[in-house]
Amino acid sequence: MSTRSAESRSNSPDASVEKRASKKRKVLSCYACRNRKMKCDRVYPVCSRCQKTGRAEQCTYDPRLLEELPASGEGHLEGGIGLNNFPQPDSGLGPTPNSNIAPDALTWKLRIQERRLGLLERQIARMDNTRGDVNAPSSIVNNLDDHEDDPKIKECFMFRGKSFKTQFYGSTSPMTLIGQFPELQIFTRAAMSIDSSMGRIRGDFKAFRTRRKALLKEKGPKFQGTDAEILPMLPTRSVMDHHVALYLKTFETSYRILHEPTFWKEYHAFWEAPQGELTPIHFVVILLLILAATKCLTPEQDTVFIGDSSIGREAASNIIDACDAWLKRQPRKHLTLAFFQQNCLSLVAKRVNCVKMKQDWINSGDLIRMAMAAGMHRDPSLLAGKRISEFETEMRKRLWGTIAELELASSIDCGLQSSLCGLYFDVPPPANVPDEIFHTESPQAPVGRPLDHFTASSYLVHSHRSLSLRVHLMQLLNNPSTNLQYSDVLHYDAQITSILSSFPTWSSPESVVSGALLNLQLRQFLLILHRPYAILAATNSRFAYSFTACANAASSIIGSHDLLIQRNIFALNHIRNDIFRAAMTTAMVAYNNSSFPELSDPPLNGTAPITEPPAPKSNPAEWGTTTKPSIPPGVQLNIPQMPSNNLMMKCLVTTSMELIERCVAIFEHKVMSLGTGYMEFWILCSALSLMPASSPFNPAMYNYSNDLRSRNQKAIDGITRLCFRVLAMQKDPEDNFASSLRSTISTASPPDGHSSFTNVVVPQGATPRGPGPESSIMGVPGVHGIPGAGGLATALASGGKIMAPGQGAWDDLQDMQVDMSGWTFPDFWAFDMGGDS
């Protein structure tokens, strides 16, 4: 019986198969190229050779290879399993078990497969139609023209410089939007040719910054990074108390860097230590970086400027330089909790003050690599035994989540791939608990609160849920080989909207920053995804939803910042570029969906490109008398008019103009707090001036040249008003910068003899007077009625002072890593060239 059983087993089909089975080598090339013994570039779903020879339907790959290799971009197969083990956005918070491919990457691969099947079905349908087959499957016929009207979206990027002195900015960077809006470029060049004062103001800023750079270069490095340089920079305890409280209220409710009970224990011990006791320098560095991060966040009305930069930003920059020099001297062999806290605080301080932003992506990348080298990207439970405490486990989770968010935000703003793309990490999110629940001696892990209960760690907990999607979108949007179709945009729109609707609504006042940040970091992707299609809404009704989606996303972004500013919270306006992105996207979409009626006075078509603005004329009365701005040959500047035959477009364009106005006001807060970002403000003023007029268009009464001049002057008035406010708040009114700028503004009256300064208010106690010999400007006695910006500058020179209605925060293009001197319209871009290196 046993013999028969053995025989039956040996003769069984399974046994014979098992004996003969051998592991086949995977075929990397497609089968078509392999059979023809041709070289295959292994592009998925169809290699280029099969595509060129018309054999796309024969291009197939080894199924085992497709199961193991993730698709990158449009389908280039890459070796290795390197994608993150992220949780799905709508699932739990833990990593996906037994999965080597991120859910979003897997979904994208399935969509590529579906697209390939659709391509094959369309080819079969065409073959059947050619043969006169009227019985073709209905699914094939329905899919025949699914994507025939999808426009070809070009890569959006900025590549400037020459030789090896180049900089690259990818699709997700807000600065690349400027290059996608050629009409705005032409408009700004026309404005600078109309009024030569813009060129002189530009020269004042550039000359001041050139002198400042030369002076700093002569002096050499300001700090050597010694302990003796650090200690004298610490202010008194009363000053430090205010800044620490502001920091904890603003940043520690979202990014988690410190453990508050432990920090307060060290803080009190530091100030109460007896004289002569050894000073913990590492803790002093943390205090100084907190001071730098909050230096420009107070809603003070009397902001003072040193040249073009606010005195708070200058002080913060000095502190950051000293702390960075100290950090460079510290050994990295044995890393500590304080080391990662110091580096995180340094990144936050630089961003909130817009200092050294050209190196931000590099610095955040270095920090995340140091964290990876320390194993912070892996689950702390892998450290078996007593090598890590529960307190350290929780702090590692918090710090990794903070570092990942900071690095991802920097990558989006620069348009460069994040280090998280292709990285496997399985560290779980931190527990949703307040800091008081655990301490350095906690014997067990803290038990998390419900997700709808707000704690200081709630932001990291909920942000972890969308991390997979955001990293995936970053990888797709900054990959030039990605062929996103409109169905993909709607797919990701639905995912983002679903995640946003799943966030709880907290009633705690401390949750306002966390809630706004969760909203902003997802809404920005809606603007990026929908913009290419929203600009086509007027000509293709299929994309009308994208215009609505852009307007809704911009409105939500602006509303979040408005709410924060109303509560005197300026941190997110400083540290992020949402306002500039929202304004530029909205302006571009509104312009392209406006009407452009035929005119008897046609738009100007120049015969030679602009290189420099007109040289200053000897007689100030002659300035700004140019009647026809130069425009590059072959390019027409069409002035948009309000849509008249499409009610939906008219409503959306009107709403967009209101949103841009709010963006200009919010960005002005940023500039007047930091003293940087003048070029972006000039761009926003120009974009607002280019928008359609609210009044009905009358072709019989319309004059193109007059309309263009009026719009140009409106944009110039906006930036001139801002420069005047900076001049009014100089710490030293007699320095070279102030004297030069005052001279420029005082002789630069507009051609029509007046200028609007709606944001300049009368000083307290001053009363505006009517016209007459005893009249005064802005209520400053003894100054007679001099029109325009020149009159305001003369009032200042006579001792008058003008206060702004509100102070806030700014940003700067050179601090946003862009030096525009190599562009084809250098007049405009050279305006804000200087800044930190």
Side-chain angles (χ1 to χ4, degrees), residues 724-760:
F724 178 76
R725 291 176 60 190
V726 173
L727 177 62
M729 300 175 184
Q730 288 293 311
K731 181 179 181 181
D732 181 9
E734 302 304 323
D735 63 15
N736 292 334
F737 173 75
S739 300
S740 177
L741 187 60
R742 185 181 300 110
S743 175
T744 295
I745 297 181
S746 63
T747 56
S749 296
D752 58 0
H754 92 282
S755 176
S756 70
F757 288 85
T758 56
N759 285 353
V760 180

Side-chain angles (χ1 to χ4, degrees), residues 445-754:
V447 179
R449 304 288 177 86
L451 294 182
D452 57 353
H453 179 87
F454 177 77
T455 70
S457 298
S458 292
Y459 163 75
L460 290 180
V461 174
H462 287 278
S463 185
H464 188 274
R465 301 171 60 195
S466 66
L467 187 59
S468 167
L469 178 61
R470 287 182 285 132
V471 171
H472 175 65
L473 287 174
M474 266 288 299
Q475 190 173 17
L476 292 183
L477 293 170
N478 288 316
N479 188 338
S481 67
T482 300
N483 183 22
L484 275 178
Q485 296 178 351
Y486 194 55
S487 59
D488 300 320
V489 171
L490 298 178
H491 168 74
Y492 290 120
D493 176 282
Q495 282 191 281
I496 293 173
T497 305
S498 175
I499 297 173
L500 287 169
S501 63
S502 69
F503 289 147
T505 303
W506 295 301
S507 58
S508 172
E510 292 80 14
S511 66
V512 62
V513 176
S514 296
L517 192 52
L518 288 171
N519 181 59
L520 294 173
Q521 66 188 17
L522 282 170
R523 297 279 182 189
Q524 64 182 349
F525 282 106
L526 293 176
L527 293 177
I528 298 171
L529 287 167
H530 282 286
R531 179 193 56 81
Y533 301 95
I535 62 178
L536 306 173
T539 57
N540 190 334
S541 59
R542 181 186 177 202
F543 305 129
Y545 170 72
S546 288
F547 194 170
T548 306
C550 283
N552 284 336
S555 178
S556 180
I557 288 172
I558 297 168
S560 295
H561 282 285
D562 267 338
L563 177 63
L564 293 173
I565 291 176
Q566 290 171 8
R567 302 190 182 191
N568 293 326
I569 300 175
F570 308 106
L572 295 189
N573 190 24
H574 286 221
I575 207 170
R576 296 181 60 85
N577 296 318
D578 302 303
I579 292 300
F580 187 77
R581 186 194 301 277
M584 286 301 298
T585 302
T586 305
M588 189 185 310
V589 172
Y591 179 90
N592 283 277
N593 287 286
S594 299
S595 297
F596 300 95
E598 294 185 5
L599 306 173
S600 57
D601 180 18
L604 299 176
N605 191 344
T607 58
I610 298 176
T611 55
E612 290 293 334
K617 301 176 182 179
S618 57
N619 183 5
E622 299 177 358
W623 292 0
T625 58
T626 307
T627 57
K628 289 190 176 183
S630 301
I631 296 178
V635 178
Q636 289 185 341
L637 175 58
N638 295 308
I639 302 297
Q641 305 297 333
M642 191 65 67
S644 56
N645 299 325
N646 191 324
L647 179 60
M648 181 179 181
M649 292 297 109
K650 182 178 181 179
C651 293
L652 289 173
V653 169
T654 303
T655 301
S656 299
M657 293 167 58
E658 296 173 355
L659 294 176
I660 299 172
E661 289 181 356
R662 292 168 62 189
C663 286
V664 172
I666 295 174
F667 198 83
E668 192 168 0
H669 274 280
K670 186 175 186 178
V671 182
M672 289 307 297
S673 179
L674 296 179
T676 183
Y678 302 98
M679 198 185 78
E680 292 104 311
F681 187 77
W682 162 238
I683 295 172
L684 295 183
C685 289
S686 300
L688 180 59
S689 301
L690 188 57
M691 291 297 100
S694 56
S695 57
F697 176 69
N698 186 352
M701 302 294 294
Y702 183 78
N703 182 279
Y704 174 84
S705 299
N706 291 339
D707 189 16
L708 179 61
R709 177 180 296 280
S710 175
R711 292 168 181 269
N712 288 155
Q713 193 61 53
K714 178 182 177 182
I716 291 174
D717 286 350
I719 187 64
T720 307
R721 179 185 70 245
L722 186 64
C723 293
F724 178 76
R725 291 176 60 190
V726 173
L727 177 62
M729 300 175 184
Q730 288 293 311
K731 181 179 181 181
D732 181 9
E734 302 304 323
D735 63 15
N736 292 334
F737 173 75
S739 300
S740 177
L741 187 60
R742 185 181 300 110
S743 175
T744 295
I745 297 181
S746 63
T747 56
S749 296
D752 58 0
H754 92 282

Side-chain angles (χ1 to χ4, degrees), residues 42-46 61 65-84 100-115 417 421-422 471-473 475-476 479 481-483 492:
R42 303 172 187 173
V43 175
Y44 179 81
V46 179
Y61 288 91
L65 185 68
L66 299 179
E67 291 175 0
E68 296 186 10
L69 297 183
S72 173
E74 191 178 1
H76 293 276
L77 297 177
E78 299 175 350
I81 306 299
L83 293 180
N84 310 5
N100 288 323
I101 302 179
D104 292 300
L106 183 60
T107 302
W108 174 251
K109 189 171 76 171
L110 292 175
R111 294 181 69 82
I112 291 292
Q113 286 277 29
E114 293 174 357
R115 195 165 299 158
Q417 291 289 1
C421 298
V471 171
H472 175 65
L473 287 174
Q475 190 173 17
L476 292 183
N479 188 338
S481 67
T482 300
N483 183 22
Y492 290 120

Side-chain angles (χ1 to χ4, degrees), residues 84 361 364-366 368-369 372 407-408 411 416-425 471:
N84 310 5
W361 183 75
S364 59
D366 287 343
I368 202 169
R369 282 166 177 79
M372 290 165 57
E407 198 271 347
L408 183 59
S411 299
L416 297 170
Q417 291 289 1
S418 168
S419 298
L420 300 177
C421 298
L423 172 67
Y424 177 92
F425 61 89
V471 171

